């Protein structure tokens, strides 16, 4: 594997009381890892259910490096991405405090960054765009309008929020048959692992759909 570094140089020449600027660019290759060893590295990281990658979760990442690493994982392990994310999800849930269920997946971690990368990539990203892009655009316009309307009373604001949520849930229910298997597989795994960690859970019928059981609808 090689990385290219860009080196700009600026030459200034004068002739007949006139100055000329000339910008020259050239690349220098830096060999980081010979291609012959790259396959071995990928296999090493995949050993013991991605144990090495799980250990990397504990490193402090800034947002850019976290997203970059998640996209690299998605590229390298595209064919086994579902297995990888399920392993990371299981690890996160197992290590999560039992008395703090509400904060599960709220932190910005490698696991959440990889989930976002997978959900944005085809075929999942195509599904979201087809079903929700228009709704999200309308919601953004309404959010802007709300911020500009300082006289909007609290009850009217609650009504608008409820209306937006209902639009999302309606679109979700109507598009259940179009949901990619990747999304279903990941959600099924999350629900299974959560049920093991927190076995006591109330199930609601679909007609009472809310944030607590919206994931179950995706599996219908």
């Amino acid at each position: 594997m090689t990385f290219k570094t860009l080196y700009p140089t600026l030459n200034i020449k004068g002739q007949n009381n006139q100055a000329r600027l000339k910008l020259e660019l050239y690349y220098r290759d830096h060999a980081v890892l010979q291609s012959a060893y790259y396959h071995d590295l990928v296999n090493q990281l995949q050993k013991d259910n991605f144990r090495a990658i799980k250990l990397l979760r504990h490193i402090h990442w800034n947002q850019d490096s976290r997203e970059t690493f998640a996209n690299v994982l998605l590229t390298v392990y595209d064919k086994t991405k579902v297995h990888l994310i399920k392993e990371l999800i299981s690890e996160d849930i197992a290590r999560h405090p039992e008395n703090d269920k509400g904060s599960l997946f709220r932190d910005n971690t490698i696991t959440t960054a990889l989930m976002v990368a997978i959900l944005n990539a085809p075929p999942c990203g195509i599904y979201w765009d087809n079903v929700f892009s228009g709704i999200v655009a309308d919601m953004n316009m309404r959010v802007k309008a709300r911020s500009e309307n300082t006289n909007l009373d609290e009850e009217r604001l609650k009504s608008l929020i409820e209306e937006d949520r209902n639009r999302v849930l309606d679109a979700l229910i109507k598009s259940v048959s179009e949901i990619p298997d990747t999304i279903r597989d990941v959600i099924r795994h999350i629900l299974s692992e959560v049920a093991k960690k927190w076995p006591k859970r109330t199930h609601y019928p679909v007609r009472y759909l809310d944030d607590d059981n919206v994931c179950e609808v995706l599996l219908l």
Side-chain angles (χ1 to χ4, degrees):
M1 181 187 294
T2 59
F3 287 93
K4 294 183 179 293
T5 303
L6 180 64
Y7 292 90
T9 60
L10 185 63
N11 294 328
I12 303 177
K13 295 183 179 181
Q15 185 177 6
N16 299 329
N17 296 324
Q18 292 183 347
R20 290 190 306 166
L21 299 179
K22 183 179 181 181
L23 180 64
E24 297 178 346
L25 302 176
Y26 65 94
Y27 286 99
R28 177 180 298 171
D29 289 342
H30 301 273
V32 178
L33 184 67
Q34 296 297 326
S35 58
Y37 298 106
Y38 185 69
H39 185 71
D40 292 337
L41 174 61
V42 171
N43 287 338
Q44 280 296 123
L45 293 176
Q46 198 168 346
K47 280 187 175 180
D48 299 324
N49 291 322
F50 301 98
R51 181 175 179 272
I53 295 177
K54 291 176 183 177
L55 293 175
L56 292 174
R57 294 166 52 259
H58 304 291
I59 299 176
H60 176 73
W61 302 81
N62 60 40
Q63 182 175 349
D64 289 340
S65 59
R66 184 171 53 245
E67 292 176 356
T68 299
F69 184 56
N71 286 318
V72 169
L73 290 177
L74 179 59
T75 300
V76 173
Y77 298 105
D78 180 59
K79 293 182 179 179
T80 56
K81 60 180 178 291
V82 173
H83 177 48
L84 170 58
I85 190 62
K86 288 163 84 171
E87 286 292 331
L88 294 180
I89 287 171
S90 295
E91 183 85 359
D92 276 17
I93 294 176
R95 294 179 176 274
H96 196 79
E98 290 189 18
N99 61 349
D100 193 19
K101 179 183 176 183
S103 66
L104 182 64
F105 300 133
R106 295 293 180 90
D107 293 334
N108 294 320
T109 63
I110 293 298
T111 303
T112 55
L114 182 58
M115 278 199 285
V116 170
I118 291 174
L119 293 177
N120 284 336
C124 303
I126 297 174
Y127 166 75
W128 301 124
D129 287 342
N130 290 342
V131 177
F132 297 107
S133 58
I135 296 175
V136 171
D138 291 345
M139 291 174 64
N140 287 335
M141 291 179 60
R142 292 177 64 163
V143 168
K144 182 179 179 181
R146 290 174 202 166
S147 63
E148 295 173 350
N149 186 359
T150 57
N151 297 323
L152 194 64
D153 63 88
E154 186 175 346
E155 289 301 318
R156 177 55 179 161
L157 181 59
K158 289 181 179 180
S159 175
L160 291 174
I161 294 174
E162 184 69 17
E163 183 179 329
D164 287 339
R165 190 181 73 160
N166 288 337
R167 287 186 65 194
V168 172
L169 295 178
D170 287 343
L172 185 62
I173 293 172
K174 291 177 181 178
S175 65
V176 162
S177 61
E178 305 170 24
I179 296 174
D181 291 338
T182 299
I183 297 178
R184 293 178 185 273
D185 202 0
V186 171
I187 290 177
R188 187 178 289 109
H189 183 73
I190 292 174
L191 292 177
S192 174
E193 293 298 298
V194 167
K196 293 177 186 177
K197 181 86 173 186
W198 296 280
K200 294 182 180 180
R201 185 170 181 272
T202 303
H203 294 267
Y204 301 91
V206 174
R207 65 178 178 276
Y208 296 120
L209 181 67
D210 59 19
D211 296 337
D212 292 328
N213 69 339
V214 65
C215 285
E216 294 182 356
V217 175
L218 299 177
L219 304 179
L220 294 177

